[in-house]
Amino acid sequence: MGSRHHKSVTVIVYRIALDSFRAPHVSDEAFDIASTISDKLAKSEAAPPSDAYSHSTLPDCRQWKLRLYTSSMAVMRQTLLRVDPRYFQIAALGALLFYGCSRLGFEIDALQITLTLTTAVAVQLLLASLTRTNSALDVRSALITGLSLCLLLRTNIIWCAVVAAAVAILSKFVFRFRGKHLFNPANIGLVTLLLAGPRVAWCSAGQWGSTIVLTFFLVCLGLLVVHRARRADISFAFLVGYALLLFGRSAWLGEPWTIPWHRLQSGALLLFAFFMISDPRSTPNSWVGRLIFAWLVVLGTGFVQFGLNRPNGLFFSLALVSFLVPLIDLLFPAVRYEWALATDTPGAANRSISPNPPTS
Amino acid sequence: MTTVRLLLCSLVYLSSTNLHAFCGFYVAKADTKIFNQASKVVMVRDDDRTVLTLANDFQGDARDFAVVIPVPAVLEKDQIHVGENALIDHLDAYSAPRLVEYWDADPCTPPMPSMMMKQSAPTGGAADGERAEALGVKIEAQYTVGEYDIVILSAEQSNGLETWLRENGYKIPPGASNVLDSYIKQNLRFFVARVNLQEKEKLGFTYLRPLQMAYESSKFMLPIRLGTVNANGPQELFVFALSRQGRVETTNYRTVKLNSDLEVPLFVRDDFSHFYRSMFDRAVQREDMRVVFLEYAWDMGWCDPCAAEPLSNEELRKLGVFWIEDTESASAKAGINRAIPRPYAGTNVFITRFHLRYDSAHFPEDLAFQQTGDRTNFQGRYILRHPWTGEAKCEAARAYLKSLDARYRTEAENLASLTGWDIQEIYKKMNFQPTNGNKKWWQKIWQ
């Protein structure tokens, strides 16, 4: 697809160059239309623009400029798609951590951040060399795990941060099933420490606040990252399921809608939905499996939060439901996710396979 | 019922007749209205064990007092106790924001994480059990503790509960029904208390003492929603959380530290309560009234500086710190005397003082808490620095006097930033006229 694009872009640029000598400048209105069309084009997997809009009533010269605009957008998008999505995740999590420390008063110091990240990367490299796997690539994953832990885990005992990071990375090498990780590394690191009690570690879910600005910011970042990692379905399934749970419960209790709405406007929730549950290496392969998985996590969260009245239901629930992933994969087989697939067209990982429901 | 005139006071005293004289920390007479819509709750918590103390300095006619509090379990008589106001005053004074080298007891008023109602006449004793049953209301228990008549109710639906309360002389405001319904479905019980005048007379107290209750529940929360029903504007709440492990924080709202450790002009000393109120107003405004403020987090074995002496073991135990005995015996074995506060020695009681202003729009759901292992100390502390006023006989002294100008200016700016007061007014009160010495040339043009 890429080479086809280059070709069409070359042709367009050439013709535009010729065209522009006799054409008036493109008006603002034309550019408005162009951006609309470019969005449509982008959605239709960046199809080459040749003759796609030949029926357009726009003057000829404008059409060409418009085509140049749309095709350059498509090229830019294709280029972006070739970048490993984990770079976006690292940038997004890093920005969140910076914002949290500088503006929201996160109770984490530079030492803990440094130790967590260093431990994650070091353990990753060590274990990768011991097991002779390709370690260089997974340093990015280790950084993501470390950053997630920095964002969520709070402790006053500095070595606990080290333990959490080590447990997280270790889990990737120990708890494996058919080449996949059983647990999301950051989640299992966090849960291990949380199980040790508040004396050891805790998660300050409330510290994100619920300002609409931050929510919006997180959604944007999250969407980008999810889009890149092809796991938008699980994030949205989870968020929709969780919203239904909260609104349903409030409807039953006769509470005002402001209550479930307030609970949804949580930075920790969005971080969980867009950066943790969407981890392609520890979620079911088929989209049916992922839906089931997401909704089981919702039910588990509801149980911990409202049944047991304990905080951090999200994380405990995800850890528990992760045990079911092998079973879900068995029932709904599909091709396993590889980061390498990320360079293909969106949906390729799913499109190449078809979910096979049990035939019994 | 016809003779009964009821008025909701909710978590706060709304009626002007109920203003309280603030004690302690707020020294000037003009300050008695500070935070006058405030409630105070002491929450002692370890594992699932909770002891709540609801401070009550209700100043009106005792017959007018009644309170409804959602509780997670049916409480036995032994689980309910009537405490002492002095304990809460002491705790308040100990944890209040402070000027260095200055202390006094506190302001605020009493609280109830619930709804307070006035009734003009008691209907005399408990309701008829059969009637209650017909309404789907079950009287789980009935006690007289101290000067209070207490009924613990469970209900099947809010209509029945509302009717029962109305028939027994309580007026439920419109809108409370929904909230009650939500608590009923969450399987909460209702703790309803009012004053037994005979007992009160017998005991000889001229004021109402705080109610205390001890229970075991996984729910670590404070129901504030009933208090926001029909409330006349935002309310003020102080929560003193005492835990064994460390700081307590809210899990569904942000906890933000109060601005602290800033130098302010000397005149603040004469008007500290005004300063504190303005500063809190401004902080609330800055955070759009959506956060819970942390005013104090400290190991209860010591303080520095002390706004009031740390509470004794006896006082702590009376407030419900049930594990303190164990410590004492352990300390005794180890030959440690906890009665003498030792800096940095540490005890196993940690206080977290929250201060929040809330209404139903900004705080839609009840406060949920969690314990953390964080034992980092924090206090709201403001610094007065008296300048040296001797004669400048050396170069160093001259340099010092010269530096004062910048310092005064910083102090004034701190104060203006903290409170939102006009800086020119502040300069005037300080008797200080900033020179233009440090200003850039363009800053002098349009003064």
Side-chain angles (χ1 to χ4, degrees):
Chain A
M1 184 175 281
S3 62
R4 202 169 54 179
H5 257 293
H6 284 308
K7 195 176 171 186
S8 55
V9 168
T10 317
V11 172
I12 291 165
V13 169
Y14 175 66
R15 291 196 56 176
I16 285 285
L18 291 178
D19 221 29
S20 57
F21 283 106
R22 57 185 172 82
H25 289 295
V26 178
S27 69
D28 290 345
E29 188 191 359
F31 261 103
D32 286 344
I33 297 168
S35 48
T36 313
I37 294 173
S38 76
D39 286 345
K40 284 183 183 168
L41 267 180
K43 278 178 192 161
S44 62
E45 304 307 332
S50 57
D51 297 329
Y53 294 93
S54 56
H55 59 280
S56 168
T57 53
L58 285 173
D60 195 47
C61 57
R62 291 188 183 181
Q63 265 195 47
W64 281 115
K65 289 193 175 177
L66 190 150
R67 285 178 189 184
L68 173 67
Y69 179 77
T70 52
S71 48
S72 56
M73 289 293 286
V75 168
M76 199 188 301
R77 188 167 169 278
Q78 288 295 306
T79 315
L80 279 177
L81 280 171
R82 288 199 179 80
V83 180
D84 189 312
R86 283 170 290 187
Y87 287 121
F88 291 100
Q89 292 189 342
I90 292 170
L93 292 173
L96 284 177
L97 186 60
F98 179 75
Y99 180 79
C101 292
S102 60
R103 303 300 297 273
L104 296 177
F106 280 8
E107 301 274 337
I108 183 166
D109 55 18
L111 178 66
Q112 190 181 333
I113 294 173
T114 315
L115 274 179
T116 307
L117 296 181
T118 315
T119 309
V121 172
V123 174
Q124 172 74 43
L125 289 175
L126 179 73
L127 292 178
S129 67
L130 285 179
T131 55
R132 298 180 186 186
T133 48
N134 190 352
S135 60
L137 287 176
D138 272 347
V139 166
R140 285 169 284 190
S141 295
L143 269 179
I144 291 170
T145 302
L147 284 167
S148 299
L149 282 174
C150 290
L151 282 164
L152 293 166
L153 184 73
R154 297 289 168 269
T155 179
N156 270 14
I157 311 168
I158 197 70
W159 57 262
C160 286
V162 176
V163 169
V167 167
I169 303 298
L170 198 64
S171 77
K172 295 204 289 186
F173 291 87
V174 176
F175 303 109
R176 294 177 78 94
F177 175 80
R178 289 189 179 174
K180 284 200 338 182
H181 308 144
L182 187 59
F183 301 108
N184 169 271
N187 185 59
I188 199 67
L190 181 66
V191 163
T192 308
L193 271 276
L194 288 179
L195 282 174
R199 192 186 296 267
V200 174
W202 63 98
C203 172
S204 292
Q207 277 313 89
W208 292 85
S210 58
T211 54
I212 199 73
V213 181
L214 176 62
T215 307
F216 181 68
F217 180 59
L218 276 174
V219 166
C220 292
L221 287 178
L223 275 175
L224 174 70
V225 173
V226 148
H227 170 67
R228 312 285 315 145
R230 315 277 181 275
R231 284 295 190 265
D233 52 4
I234 200 167
S235 294
F236 288 116
F238 172 79
L239 281 179
V240 168
Y242 190 61
L244 282 176
L245 174 86
L246 293 182
F247 277 90
R249 183 173 182 276
S250 286
W252 173 61
L253 291 175
E255 291 174 344
W257 294 133
T258 45
I259 290 184
W261 186 238
H262 177 254
R263 288 178 181 155
L264 278 178
Q265 288 174 316
S266 149
L269 170 71
L270 292 167
L271 187 80
F272 175 81
F274 288 111
F275 296 86
M276 197 173 262
I277 196 178
S278 56
D279 172 17
R281 294 299 300 274
S282 57
T283 44
N285 297 327
S286 69
W287 67 270
V288 179
R290 288 198 293 275
L291 282 191
I292 294 171
F293 178 78
W295 288 335
L296 283 176
V297 174
V298 168
L299 290 179
T301 307
F303 176 70
V304 176
Q305 194 172 343
F306 302 120
L308 302 178
N309 299 308
R310 301 292 175 192
N312 308 317
L314 296 169
F315 309 112
F316 288 120
S317 176
L318 178 61
L320 278 177
V321 177
S322 292
F323 282 108
L324 297 177
V325 172
L327 182 68
I328 295 172
D329 272 347
L330 213 63
L331 294 174
F332 304 97
V335 172
R336 174 159 58 92
Y337 181 90
E338 290 293 347
W339 284 108
L341 288 175
T343 52
D344 291 342
T345 318
N350 297 335
R351 211 181 294 153
S352 62
I353 47 88
S354 58
N356 298 323
T359 50
S360 63
Chain B
M1 188 69 188
T2 50
T3 58
V4 173
R5 189 181 63 82
L6 301 159
L7 175 69
L8 174 84
C9 285
S10 78
L11 237 179
V12 173
Y13 303 97
L14 302 177
S15 153
S16 59
T17 59
N18 294 328
L19 289 179
H20 326 289
F22 291 91
C23 52
F25 202 42
Y26 302 101
V27 285
K29 277 182 184 171
D31 299 325
T32 51
K33 284 182 185 172
I34 281 181
F35 301 131
N36 62 358
Q37 292 200 358
S39 309
K40 278 179 275 181
V41 178
V42 183
M43 266 196 312
V44 177
R45 170 99 175 178
D46 190 47
D47 284 334
D48 283 351
R49 294 178 184 178
T50 306
V51 182
L52 273 188
T53 306
L54 311 166
N56 170 28
D57 60 351
F58 183 85
Q59 304 275 305
D61 189 333
R63 281 177 301 184
D64 292 346
F65 173 81
V67 58
V68 178
I69 306 158
V71 287
V74 175
L75 306 180
E76 291 176 14
K77 191 171 182 179
D78 289 354
Q79 291 177 274
I80 305 164
H81 184 253
V82 180
E84 301 163 25
N85 282 323
L87 293 176
I88 295 173
D89 291 343
H90 189 178
L91 190 64
D92 188 2
Y94 168 74
S95 59
R98 63 210 63 200
L99 283 170
V100 174
E101 297 178 331
Y102 173 85
W103 73 269
D104 203 341
D106 150 89
C108 322
T109 347
M112 297 286 149
S114 63
M115 188 162 64
M116 274 190 198
M117 289 167 285
K118 280 169 54 174
Q119 53 177 24
S120 63
T123 53
D128 176 13
E130 282 176 26
R131 175 62 181 150
E133 209 171 303
L135 291 168
V137 175
K138 191 176 169 199
I139 299 171
E140 301 273 6
Q142 252 175 306
Y143 318 109
T144 299
V145 181
E147 64 268 42
Y148 295 101
D149 279 332
I150 290 156
V151 185
I152 311 253
L153 301 170
S154 66
E156 283 162 17
Q157 46 187 321
S158 60
N159 291 347
L161 179 63
E162 229 184 306
T163 311
W164 187 93
L165 288 168
R166 286 225 171 88
E167 287 183 359
N168 284 275
Y170 304 92
K171 187 177 176 187
I172 303 295
S177 182
N178 280 346
V179 184
L180 290 174
D181 205 31
S182 146
Y183 288 134
I184 290 169
K185 284 178 177 156
Q186 291 177 69
N187 211 19
L188 291 175
R189 309 301 203 285
F190 297 91
F191 178 104
V192 183
R194 64 179 157 212
V195 177
N196 182 321
L197 291 173
Q198 287 168 341
E199 290 295 322
K200 184 170 178 281
E201 208 165 304
K202 218 186 287 176
L203 291 165
F205 289 109
T206 52
Y207 52 87
L208 294 177
R209 295 176 298 162
L211 274 164
Q212 295 188 291
M213 56 190 86
Y215 57 84
E216 206 160 329
S217 166
S218 56
K219 288 184 178 166
F220 190 9
M221 50 88 81
L222 208 51
I224 58 170
R225 289 185 58 214
L226 271 176
T228 60
V229 175
N230 223 18
N232 184 14
Q235 301 177 44
E236 209 91 9
L237 174 66
F238 292 89
V239 181
F240 307 87
L242 305 184
S243 66
R244 199 202 288 249
Q245 292 171 346
R247 186 170 55 83
V248 169
E249 66 181 19
T250 42
T251 57
N252 52 354
Y253 298 100
R254 263 183 81 206
T255 307
V256 171
K257 286 175 181 163
L258 208 63
N259 276 328
S260 179
D261 284 335
L262 290 166
E263 287 186 22
V264 290
L266 293 175
F267 74 85
V268 167
R269 179 175 194 157
D270 305 326
D271 207 7
F272 189 56
S273 51
H274 185 205
F275 161 77
Y276 176 32
R277 186 180 55 195
S278 301
M279 178 187 61
F280 191 75
D281 286 348
R282 186 147 171 98
V284 167
Q285 195 185 0
R286 202 179 284 139
E287 298 288 350
D288 194 26
M289 210 166 104
R290 289 180 194 280
V291 305
V292 175
F293 287 95
L294 179 73
E295 289 192 333
Y296 198 64
W298 212 275
D299 187 307
M300 287 207 69
W302 61 292
C303 40
D304 181 25
C306 291
E309 284 304 306
L311 277 69
S312 68
N313 281 357
E314 179 70 15
E315 287 175 300
L316 288 173
R317 202 159 44 239
K318 282 182 179 171
L319 277 171
V321 184
F322 51 86
W323 61 87
I324 199 84
E325 263 178 357
D326 302 343
T327 319
E328 260 186 341
S329 53
S331 306
K333 273 181 200 167
I336 300 166
N337 181 7
R338 198 196 153 274
I340 304 165
R342 292 158 300 144
Y344 310 107
T347 63
N348 62 356
V349 188
F350 198 91
I351 182 175
T352 314
R353 171 181 163 131
F354 300 106
H355 185 180
L356 64 148
R357 186 169 295 167
Y358 68 99
D359 61 19
S360 58
H362 298 85
F363 283 81
E365 55 175 328
D366 291 329
L367 299 174
F369 299 91
Q370 73 174 4
Q371 285 201 38
T372 76
D374 184 13
R375 295 184 75 90
T376 312
N377 292 324
F378 170 79
Q379 61 182 342
R381 176 171 168 269
Y382 307 93
I383 304 154
L384 302 181
R385 276 177 68 186
H386 294 269
W388 174 73
T389 51
E391 195 183 337
K393 287 178 177 170
C394 63
E395 189 53 41
R398 279 188 285 276
Y400 164 81
L401 288 179
K402 213 173 174 186
S403 73
L404 282 180
D405 193 75
R407 196 175 93 191
Y408 291 151
R409 195 196 298 272
T410 309
E411 288 175 355
E413 282 166 1
N414 283 344
L415 187 60
S417 158
L418 282 172
T419 59
W421 293 345
D422 179 48
I423 195 143
Q424 296 304 332
E425 286 294 314
I426 293 173
Y427 287 145
K428 209 182 286 176
K429 281 190 182 176
M430 290 171 78
N431 271 334
F432 166 66
Q433 202 45 262
T435 61
N436 292 332
N438 295 332
K439 286 200 172 183
K440 305 283 184 197
W441 62 266
W442 58 83
Q443 288 176 319
K444 298 175 191 171
I445 304 176
W446 295 292
Q447 277 187 346

